Amino acid sequence: PPLDDEFNFLVAKANCRLSDELFYRFPPGCERLCANVQESSKAHRHPAVWTHDTSAGGKPTFTIGIETAEYPPVRPLTSSALVSAISSSKGSDSETAGGTEDQLIERRIAAKGDQIRQLKADGMSKEDLAPHVEELLALKALANPGEESKREVVKKTEGRDKVKKSGNKNGGGDASESEIRQARLDKVTAMVEAGQNPYAYSFNPTHTAAELKCIYEGNLEGGEEDENADVSVAGRIMTRRVFGKLAFFTLLDESGTIQLQLDKKRLGAAFKDLKAWTDSGDIIGVRGTIRRTDKGELSVYCTEWKMLTKSALPLPDKFHGLTDISKRYRQRHLDLIVNSDVRDTFRKRALMTSALRQQLNDLGFLEIETPVLHNEPGGAEAKPFETYHNSMGMDLTLRIATELHLKRLIVGGFHRVYELGRIFRNEGISTRHNPEFTSVELYQAYADYNDMMELTEDLICGMCQSVHNSLRVQYGEHDINLEKPWRRITMHDIVKGQMPEFDFAALDPTDPASVEAAKGAASARGVPKVELLGTVGEVLNACFEELCEPTLIQPTFVIDYPVEVSPLAKPHRTKPGLTERFELFATGREIANSFSELTDPIDQRERFEAQALKKAAGDEEACGVDEDFLLALEQGMPPTGGLGIGIDRVIMLLTDSASIRDVIAFPLLKKEE
C-alpha cells in the first residue's frame, strides 16, 4: 500500500533510524515496498534509490538507501527488525508476494519472530512485548488449525472492532455483535475503574475539520508543523491505525473529516490509555498543533485527548459500508455516520426550506400554523388517517391539506399567508409517495393562477440557487434546465399530442354519447379502468395521467383542468367545463398544484355536495361538506391565487434522489417481524 509517513514510523518502531548513511536490505517479495519508498521520498533532499542484487547465494535481495556524492551506495545494512516491522504492517509486500495461504502465514510467523528477537535485543520491556507475543501466538494458531488448544486464540490488535478467531479449515470468523458490544462495555468498566468518565458532559472545540482545512489550504509544506497553533476538535473516530508508539485516527465531525496524529512521545502515559480504550465509532475530543505529513495530509498533532462518548456498537464494515436499503432507512443515524452523501442531502434540504421561507417572508407572506386535527377532511382528494379524541368524544382525522384553514385567514383580512408543514394521507407507498410528507401551501389575495405560475418559478429557482451555482441540475440521466420561463401547455393540447386521432375539445361534456366516445378512445390507447369513469373531464384526466405525465421531464405547467377533478378551483373565464388550474411537472412527476381559487359560496357548496355523493358511494378519497369553510366563504373572500408545492419532490429533483425516502429523514416503514 502507499506508505507516506508510515515508512519512517516503521523504522522508528524497529528502533532504527533512516539517514543518509544507512541502506536497508530486504528479502525477496519487497519489490513493491521499495518502489513505494522511492516514490514517497521524492520530495526529500536525498531521494531513495533501490537496486536488485542476486549476489547473496543466488537469492535476490533488494537494497534501498540514499545515493549521494557523500554517501555512495557501498554500505548496505541488513536490519531484520525493520523487515519484521514492515512485514507485520497491514498489506505488507512480503504477505502479497505470492504463494499459498499456508506459505504466507509461515512468512508472517518468521518475520514476527525476527521482530520479537530484535526487540528483545534492543531492551524492550516484557509489558511492551506482550502484544507482539500474542500476535505471534495467533499466527501460529492459524498455521495449526487442528490443535484444539489454539483454535480459539483471539488476536487483540489495537484499533480493531473485529475480534478475529481462528477455527478449523471449514470455520472460524468474526466475533458476534454481542461479543463486540461486551468487549467495548468492558472498556467502559476499565475507564470507570481508572477514574475516567467514558461519557463526558461537555467539550469546547475551537474549530471544525472544514475550518482547519480552509485555514491551512496552501499552507505548510510536507513534514512542516505550525507549532504556534493551539486547536481543539471533536468528533467520531472513523478509522484507527496504530503502529506501536504512533497512531493515526480519522475523525469525523459535522463538516467532514480530519486526520489525527498521536504518538507516545507527545501524549506520554495517555497514549497507552488511547490504545487500550478507543475503538472506531467512539466520540473523542483532542487538542494539539497542526502538522502536514510528508504525504501532504493535514493533521492535528495531538497533545491531549479525551473520551467524550464510548460507543458500545461497531460501525458498519468500512469496505462494504451500509448498503442494505431497509437498514439505511431504519437506522438513519448509521446511514448519516457512514454515508457523507446522505448527510449532504439533508443539509441541502435544510438550506432549501430555509431559503423558501426567506423568499416568502421577503415577499410579505406570513407563516401561520393551522390545525392538524380536523373534524371534516378537505382541501384535497385523499383518504385520511382517522383518530378519536377521548375527552371530547369526537371522531377526527389528520389533515390531508392546509388549504381550507389558510383560506379562512384570507377571509379574515390577511392578504398573503402560507404554511410549510406535514401532511398525512392514508394512501399507498412508492418511490414518490409517503404517508406523511411536507408541503407548502400559500394564498395571495387579488392574484390568480397566472401570478402563481411566476411565483412558482421564482420559489423553485431560489431553492435551487441556495445549494447550486446553476439553474441546470442533473437528475439521473437527464439534464434538467430550470431557467425561466418554463413551458406552458393546456391539458387538451398535451393529450391531443399523444392521441392525434381523437379531439376531446370537440366533445359536448353534457352528451352521454361523448362520454362513451371518450371512453372508447381511451381504452383503445390502453388507459386502464376508464369504464368506471362518468364524465368526459374524468376520462381526459385519466388519459393525461397515463399517456402524458411520464413524458414530462423538463419543468412544464399543464394548465386548464376539467372542473370534475378540480373541486376548489374557479371556473375558467373563457373555457366552459374547465377551471383556472395548473399543475407543475418535472422528471415525470407532479411538483406543484395551483388554482385561481373558487370564491363563489353557492358554486362551492354544489361541488362539495357532489364530492359527498361520491364519498357516500364508497369513494374513500372524496371529501364531504365543510360547513365551517362554507360559512367563512359566505362572508366574502377576495379574488385569490393559491399554490401548493410538494417539498419532498422538489428536494428529490434538486439532490438527484431516486426515492422520496432518500429525502425524508425517518420515512414510515413496516414493522420488522
Side-chain angles (χ1 to χ4, degrees):
L3 293 178
D4 54 49
D5 293 84
E6 296 178 20
F7 179 75
N8 287 328
F9 298 131
L10 290 168
V11 173
K13 178 178 177 181
N15 296 320
C16 300
R17 184 171 66 89
L18 181 61
S19 71
D20 291 350
E21 299 182 58
L22 299 183
F23 286 79
Y24 295 93
R25 177 167 290 165
F26 300 91
C30 289
E31 299 96 319
R32 184 158 58 91
L33 167 67
C34 294
N36 284 337
V37 174
Q38 183 183 31
E39 180 66 23
S40 65
S41 70
K42 286 181 179 179
H44 296 279
R45 183 168 59 92
H46 300 304
V49 297
W50 63 283
T51 59
H52 181 197
D53 180 16
T54 58
S55 61
K59 295 182 179 180
T61 61
F62 296 86
T63 302
I64 185 164
I66 309 300
E67 183 173 21
T68 69
E70 301 165 295
Y71 301 109
V74 295
R75 298 180 58 193
L77 171 67
T78 299
S79 172
S80 60
L82 177 61
V83 174
S84 300
I86 295 174
S87 176
S88 64
S89 67
K90 65 177 181 179
S92 65
D93 289 79
S94 60
E95 290 177 18
T96 58
T100 66
E101 181 177 354
D102 289 341
Q103 289 172 334
L104 295 177
I105 293 172
E106 290 298 334
R107 290 181 193 172
R108 293 184 62 188
I109 291 172
K112 177 56 70 175
D114 288 343
Q115 181 188 21
I116 291 172
R117 283 189 289 275
Q118 182 64 42
L119 294 175
K120 284 182 179 179
D122 292 336
M124 180 176 281
S125 67
K126 289 184 178 180
E127 182 180 4
D128 289 336
L129 272 175
H132 299 283
V133 174
E134 283 189 8
E135 186 174 350
L136 178 61
L137 292 175
L139 289 170
K140 289 183 176 180
L142 287 172
N144 299 281
E147 296 182 25
E148 184 66 27
S149 61
K150 297 178 182 178
R151 189 173 62 84
E152 296 292 332
V153 173
V154 176
K155 182 182 179 184
K156 297 180 179 178
T157 50
E158 298 164 331
R160 297 185 184 177
D161 291 325
K162 293 184 178 180
V163 183
K164 296 187 176 179
K165 295 182 179 179
S166 60
N168 57 34
K169 291 183 179 180
N170 298 319
D174 297 333
S176 67
E177 187 171 283
S178 62
E179 291 172 321
I180 295 172
R181 179 177 180 274
Q182 185 57 53
R184 289 178 172 229
L185 293 179
D186 289 343
K187 294 181 181 182
V188 170
T189 301
M191 290 187 68
V192 173
E193 290 175 349
Q196 301 295 318
N197 186 353
Y199 302 102
Y201 285 91
S202 64
F203 187 80
N204 295 315
T206 59
H207 298 80
T208 65
E211 287 171 346
L212 289 176
K213 289 182 177 180
C214 181
I215 292 169
Y216 285 93
E217 183 177 2
N219 298 326
L220 298 181
E221 298 296 328
E224 186 180 354
E225 177 185 355
D226 181 0
E227 297 180 352
N228 295 320
D230 184 9
V231 304
S232 299
V233 293
R236 190 180 299 274
I237 301 172
M238 299 304 291
T239 62
R240 292 171 79 253
R241 294 179 296 157
V242 181
F243 308 98
K245 299 179 182 180
L246 176 87
F248 289 103
F249 289 5
T250 300
L251 193 77
L252 172 71
D253 67 11
E254 184 182 19
S255 69
T257 61
I258 193 165
Q259 180 171 275
L260 307 182
Q261 181 177 331
L262 312 106
D263 61 39
K264 186 174 182 180
K265 183 178 179 180
R266 280 206 168 193
L267 293 176
F271 186 72
K272 180 180 178 181
D273 296 336
L274 176 88
K275 294 198 296 181
W277 293 340
T278 60
D279 294 290
S280 62
D282 293 347
I283 300 173
I284 65 171
V286 299
R287 180 182 179 184
T289 59
I290 295 294
R291 178 179 183 271
R292 194 175 293 280
T293 67
D294 291 341
K295 193 69 173 179
E297 184 72 20
L298 188 71
S299 305
V300 178
Y301 197 7
C302 303
T303 56
E304 301 174 13
W305 81 278
K306 180 181 181 181
M307 179 71 75
L308 302 180
T309 300
K310 180 65 188 171
S311 173
L313 295 175
L315 294 175
D317 183 274
K318 66 179 179 180
F319 296 106
H320 299 98
L322 188 62
T323 56
D324 182 89
I325 296 298
S326 178
K327 189 173 184 179
R328 284 183 53 214
Y329 297 148
R330 292 182 190 280
Q331 300 184 32
R332 182 68 88 184
H333 58 285
L334 273 183
D335 193 23
L336 292 167
I337 289 171
V338 302
N339 293 320
S340 60
D341 56 335
V342 176
R343 294 195 303 274
D344 187 54
T345 293
F346 288 105
R347 186 176 289 109
K348 287 180 178 178
R349 179 182 179 118
L351 292 172
M352 284 188 277
T353 54
S354 177
L356 174 64
R357 277 192 165 101
Q358 189 60 53
Q359 289 181 89
L360 290 171
N361 294 343
D362 291 345
L363 290 170
F365 284 85
L366 297 176
E367 182 170 19
I368 301 180
E369 296 170 330
T370 63
V372 172
L373 295 175
H374 292 183
N375 53 24
E376 180 63 56
E381 291 191 8
K383 182 180 180 180
F385 286 96
E386 299 176 350
T387 186
Y388 182 79
H389 196 293
N390 290 329
S391 64
M392 301 182 83
M394 292 176 61
D395 290 315
L396 298 170
T397 66
L398 301 186
R399 68 185 182 191
I400 58 174
T402 56
E403 178 170 347
L404 300 186
H405 285 92
L406 288 173
K407 285 183 179 178
R408 287 161 69 176
L409 292 171
I410 295 292
V411 173
F414 291 106
H415 285 183
R416 300 186 180 204
V417 295
Y418 77 96
E419 183 175 4
L420 179 63
R422 300 293 266 185
I423 303 299
F424 309 89
R425 296 181 181 177
N426 195 356
E427 299 175 335
I429 297 175
S430 71
T431 56
R432 63 181 69 181
H433 295 93
N434 196 65
E436 55 176 320
F437 59 95
T438 303
S439 78
V440 61
E441 287 198 44
L442 62 91
Y443 295 88
Q444 179 179 341
Y446 311 112
D448 64 11
Y449 79 143
N450 293 302
D451 299 307
M452 293 298 103
M453 276 186 254
E454 294 181 7
L455 181 58
T456 303
E457 289 176 332
D458 291 339
L459 293 178
I460 293 179
C461 286
M463 293 173 70
C464 179
Q465 290 173 322
S466 70
V467 295
H468 297 292
N469 295 322
S470 170
L471 289 176
R472 301 185 77 95
V473 297
Q474 195 69 28
Y475 188 83
E477 61 184 9
H478 303 293
D479 180 21
I480 307 300
N481 184 3
L482 296 177
E483 294 177 359
K484 300 179 287 186
W486 298 344
R487 178 191 182 198
R488 291 161 168 77
I489 186 170
T490 68
M491 181 177 284
H492 273 118
D493 287 343
I494 197 169
V495 171
K496 180 70 173 176
Q498 294 293 323
M499 300 175 62
E501 74 282 0
F502 192 81
D503 186 5
F504 279 90
L507 299 178
D508 179 1
T510 62
D511 184 358
S514 294
V515 177
E516 294 305 315
K519 288 182 179 181
S523 296
R525 293 301 303 270
V527 179
K529 299 181 179 180
V530 292
E531 68 277 3
L532 303 177
L533 304 179
T535 67
V536 170
E538 290 174 333
V539 177
L540 173 66
N541 185 66
C543 290
F544 165 74
E545 291 180 347
E546 181 69 20
L547 304 177
C548 306
E549 185 173 331
T551 69
L552 299 176
I553 304 303
Q554 298 299 326
T556 302
F557 291 113
V558 178
I559 64 176
D560 301 346
Y561 276 58
V563 67
E564 296 93 332
V565 295
S566 310
L568 297 169
K570 182 168 286 190
H572 199 284
R573 63 195 78 182
T574 61
K575 300 176 181 178
L578 302 181
T579 61
E580 294 196 350
R581 174 188 177 188
F582 74 76
E583 287 186 314
L584 171 65
F585 294 86
T587 66
R589 60 175 65 104
E590 177 196 346
I591 301 292
N593 188 18
S594 173
F595 312 141
S596 292
E597 299 295 335
L598 182 60
T599 55
D600 181 348
I602 306 304
D603 190 354
Q604 183 66 81
R605 178 176 290 279
E606 291 174 353
R607 297 194 199 183
F608 274 167
E609 289 174 348
Q611 287 284 311
L613 290 175
K614 292 171 64 177
K615 184 176 182 179
D619 188 341
E620 294 181 325
E621 295 186 349
C623 62
V625 178
D626 189 326
E627 293 292 349
D628 290 335
F629 174 69
L630 289 173
L631 180 64
L633 204 59
E634 289 187 355
Q635 201 69 51
M637 185 171 82
T640 299
L643 169 65
I645 301 176
I647 298 300
D648 305 298
R649 292 186 180 180
V650 173
I651 293 169
M652 287 172 65
L653 168 64
L654 298 181
T655 60
D656 192 13
S657 299
S659 171
I660 194 171
R661 294 183 179 185
D662 293 330
V663 300
I664 296 176
F666 301 100
L668 185 66
L669 302 168
K670 283 186 177 181
K671 187 176 180 180
E672 286 187 307
E673 297 297 334

